[in-house]
Amino acid sequence: TFSVQQRGCGKVSGLTFTLTCSTGSGDQRAERRYATYSGGTRQFEGSFRITSMSGSRISLKQTFKTTGPFFMLAVERGGRLYAVHGGDTIATGATVGATVRVNTVHQVGTRHRTYINGSLKHTVSSPSGDFYDKFGSYRTASGNGPVTTVWSGIRFWRK
């Protein structure tokens, strides 16, 4: 189950997530938020295609701890995918029109791994606690729209 979050200039239509404005301030988001979990291993899979982007630094997939951000995968206008916290480059090639598959495997209390197009690209230690998954288009603190992202093939597994 999920809830749709639309704030500021964010608009959600099915699996299309749009930020219509270029503002660099305020809460600009168009996302789906999934149910909270607190243990085991959780895997997310989905593919995104950016259909237009004149902004930059837009978060596409997030694993949140209920107390705040834990892992945020974002994209810059040139197609670089990066971890918002720490700034590590995760992959390149997420340009307008390209389809990119994202898998996250989260072992609560152990580690969080991110795969891009089937290849492991990023690993970070995970604390224990309560978490949830989100995806869509979200303006990071240093980002701005506009952007339109279309997601497909959304799947979840748990172990």
Side-chain angles (χ1 to χ4, degrees), residues 43-55:
Q43 180 174 344
F44 163 88
E45 178 178 278
S47 295
F48 70 85
R49 183 172 47 87
I50 299 166
T51 59
S52 68
M53 183 174 191
S54 54

Side-chain angles (χ1 to χ4, degrees), residues 15-97:
L15 287 171
T16 300
F17 303 85
T18 303
L19 301 181
T20 60
C21 59
S22 61
T23 183
S25 62
D27 189 2
Q28 313 301 328
R29 69 177 68 204
E31 300 175 305
R32 277 189 180 183
R33 181 205 192 278
Y34 284 80
T36 300
Y37 60 90
S38 58
T41 299
R42 303 294 176 124
Q43 180 174 344
F44 163 88
E45 178 178 278
S47 295
F48 70 85
R49 183 172 47 87
I50 299 166
T51 59
S52 68
M53 183 174 191
S54 54
S56 190
R57 303 183 70 81
I58 302 297
S59 180
L60 302 171
K61 165 65 176 72
Q62 304 167 28
T63 303
F64 256 77
K65 200 167 190 294
T66 53
T67 56
F70 168 62
F71 173 77
M72 297 172 68
L73 175 70
V75 63
E76 290 179 332
R77 186 179 309 136
R80 180 178 84 104
L81 291 171
Y82 67 98
V84 171
H85 301 92
D88 293 344
T89 296
I90 293 175
T92 58
T95 53
V96 171

Side-chain angles (χ1 to χ4, degrees), residues 86-145:
D88 293 344
T89 296
I90 293 175
T92 58
T95 53
V96 171
T99 299
V100 178
R101 190 173 83 245
V102 177
N103 290 77
T104 57
V105 179
H106 186 197
Q107 294 167 271
V108 176
T110 303
R111 70 179 167 256
H112 183 281
R113 293 172 293 181
T114 304
Y115 296 80
I116 302 297
N117 295 327
S119 296
L120 177 62
K121 297 293 187 178
H122 187 260
T123 302
V124 64
S125 295
S126 171
S128 57
D130 296 330
F131 295 86
Y132 57 91
D133 287 301
K134 293 170 76 170
F135 67 88
S137 295
Y138 170 79
R139 184 191 65 77
T140 65
S142 60
N144 65 288

